[in-house]
Amino acid sequence: MSFKKDFFWGAATAAYQIEGAYNEDGKGLNIWDEFCTAKGKIERFENGNAACDHYHRYKEDVKLMAEMGLKAYRFSISWARILPEGSGRINSKGIEFYNNLIDELLKYNITPFVTLYHWDLPYVLHQKGGWLNPESTKWFEEYTTVVAKNFGDRVKNFITFNEPSVFMMLGYGDGTHAPGLTMNTKDILQVGHNIHMAHGKAVRVLREYVKDCKVGITVATQPKIPLTKDDEEMAYDAYFYSGLGGFAWAQSYWLDPIVFGHYPEQLLKEAGDLFPAFSAGDMELINEKIDFIGLNIYEAQYCGKGDCNLKQGYPHTELGWGTYDKALKWGVLHNWKRYNLPIIITENGISTHDWVHLDGKVHDSNRIDFLHRYLKGLKESTEMGCQVDGYFHWSLMDNFEWAKGYNPRFGLIYINYQTMERTMKDSAFWYKEVIQSNGENL
Ligand code: BGC
């Protein structure tokens, strides 16, 4: 089998990266609003105050999605836009914005996929300890309830967290992302456990209020690609290994507790007293059934000759990231083998040196070639019998690339940040053809 008939061909974004309107219509501040004001944290002192002005231009953006033939759109909700104080008072203007966006999507038959948390914690909750505070699981439960009750009649697909490893390690580990903290391992393990618990609570809330929903979590992952058939087992074992060193980046640290109900044994052994106390009830909560695994895949690693960190001078992107044709294929194969759950590629993409050419178009041939290669790999995994339900390109449009500001351009749509004019890049037209043929032309 190739791509399923109802495959979700989509594109993804996140609230802070595109919405702008950071202090309009009653929105509260979040940790990124605050972090961007700190000197030296963001390149060229840029911030998401205006971003792509999607808050005011969502209709135009949805129209472009429709023109591209997108079947699905993944976006995140800004927690502080709907609950300015993080909990308690609901901001009706914020609810109205997402209602309008969802209705607009449905008008064009574009299926909404909502990410609950794409890194923008309300600032007041950060002041109460943020994700280190075990109360955070309750705050997240309340926020999820508001989302479920207000949008669950029309939104059926939910992702609890986007890339917990990244916001945990960059936000609380090395401090390069909001909220800019550098914690010790014990505290980071506590943050990780709280995120796991918050995920479980959110799944329960969604099941209660949105009966026919599909829920998953999105992890950032660099699949290990075996160089030869003989390297497959080593690649698999290395990919799922989790001791204390680098645990946060291990696939099994996030997914084993969720799918199997236990943390990796080796990690528990090595962490000893550093690991937070947890009960059987905690593990039951974390182990709530999910419907799919979301994978964000950009880079990968080759495994061969007993080594999984081969540096071979492979081609790289504008950000200096390596490109790996078989990254999606092996991401799917490994995860399908271990967890046997449907997989959705919730992000994959490339930043390239794009600009509007003299002819008024954006000729991003590198993105087309990158996409072609990665999607061919994805197709192979479906032909090998893995269940893949969707692919979301990162990103729908150029946007605020966190600490790197606006220079990296990941979009299928080019944004002129001075005029906010949108231009569909060549890749957007190419992707449209892929969608129209359901991937048969790859
Ligand atoms: C994140 C996005 C980010 C993208 C490119 C992922 O880590 O989910 O927010 O823009 O990768 O770096």
Side-chain angles (χ1 to χ4, degrees), residues 14 17 74 118-119 162-163 166 296 298 319 321 347 394 399-402 410:
Q17 294 180 274
R74 172 184 174 228
H118 203 125
W119 307 356
N162 177 70
E163 299 191 349
V166 177
N296 286 1
Y298 293 86
L319 275 173
W321 299 1
E347 279 180 37
W394 184 272
N399 58 49
F400 178 74
E401 177 57 20
W402 308 111
F410 275 94

Side-chain angles (χ1 to χ4, degrees), residues 126-382:
H126 166 66
Q127 288 174 311
K128 292 182 188 161
W131 290 110
L132 182 61
N133 186 341
E135 290 287 302
S136 56
T137 66
K138 293 197 188 131
W139 306 329
F140 194 63
E141 186 178 31
E142 181 187 335
Y143 160 62
T144 306
T145 310
V146 173
V147 171
K149 281 185 171 171
N150 282 281
F151 312 126
D153 57 334
R154 288 151 297 150
V155 177
K156 305 297 174 190
N157 297 281
F158 294 91
I159 290 154
T160 55
F161 283 94
N162 177 70
E163 299 191 349
S165 56
V166 177
F167 78 80
M168 182 168 88
M169 292 317 287
L170 274 48
Y172 297 87
D174 69 15
T176 54
H177 275 191
L181 301 180
T182 49
M183 289 181 177
N184 60 35
T185 306
K186 189 173 193 310
D187 284 348
I188 290 180
L189 282 163
Q190 181 69 55
V191 167
H193 186 62
N194 293 345
I195 296 170
H196 273 105
M197 297 278 290
H199 160 84
K201 286 191 178 170
V203 177
R204 281 191 186 163
V205 165
L206 290 166
R207 297 267 183 243
E208 185 181 341
Y209 293 103
V210 192
K211 295 286 175 245
D212 45 352
C213 70
K214 297 252 190 262
V215 193
I217 183 168
T218 279
V219 289
T221 183
Q222 296 195 2
K224 309 251 189 226
I225 303 173
L227 285 176
T228 68
K229 189 113 194 86
D230 292 343
D231 301 315
E232 284 183 14
E233 209 180 305
M234 179 188 68
Y236 176 90
D237 290 346
Y239 183 53
F240 289 107
Y241 176 79
S242 174
L244 187 59
F247 73 90
W249 303 107
Q251 193 70 348
S252 55
Y253 170 67
W254 296 105
L255 294 181
D256 279 16
I258 290 172
V259 183
F260 302 140
H262 56 75
Y263 282 109
E265 234 171 76
Q266 188 63 21
L267 168 63
L268 291 178
K269 207 163 94 193
E270 289 178 25
D273 291 347
L274 292 179
F275 213 91
F278 58 84
S279 66
D282 287 359
M283 294 320 291
E284 219 173 278
L285 174 68
I286 294 170
N287 188 211
E288 276 294 325
K289 181 185 159 300
I290 56 169
D291 303 296
F292 64 88
I293 291 173
L295 300 177
N296 286 1
I297 298 179
Y298 293 86
E299 294 190 272
Q301 284 157 10
Y302 290 104
C303 284
K305 303 189 195 87
D307 185 359
C308 269
N309 289 298
L310 303 179
K311 295 189 180 57
Q312 306 192 14
Y314 279 87
H316 58 271
T317 74
E318 176 267 339
L319 275 173
W321 299 1
T323 71
Y324 305 82
D325 298 9
K326 303 288 179 197
L328 296 183
K329 173 179 171 177
W330 282 98
V332 170
L333 286 179
H334 288 324
N335 283 284
W336 174 254
K337 178 172 170 191
R338 188 176 187 86
Y339 300 116
N340 201 29
L341 278 171
I343 289 168
I344 296 180
I345 305 298
T346 39
E347 279 180 37
N348 164 246
I350 176 172
S351 77
T352 52
H353 285 287
D354 302 332
W355 62 81
V356 181
H357 288 215
L358 282 173
D359 63 2
K361 298 180 177 167
V362 182
H363 302 297
D364 56 340
S365 55
N366 279 354
R367 179 169 291 100
I368 293 176
D369 191 60
F370 171 96
L371 193 46
H372 198 165
R373 289 167 185 270
Y374 274 57
L375 286 178
K376 269 163 100 64
L378 184 64
K379 192 175 180 182
E380 274 173 50
S381 70
T382 64

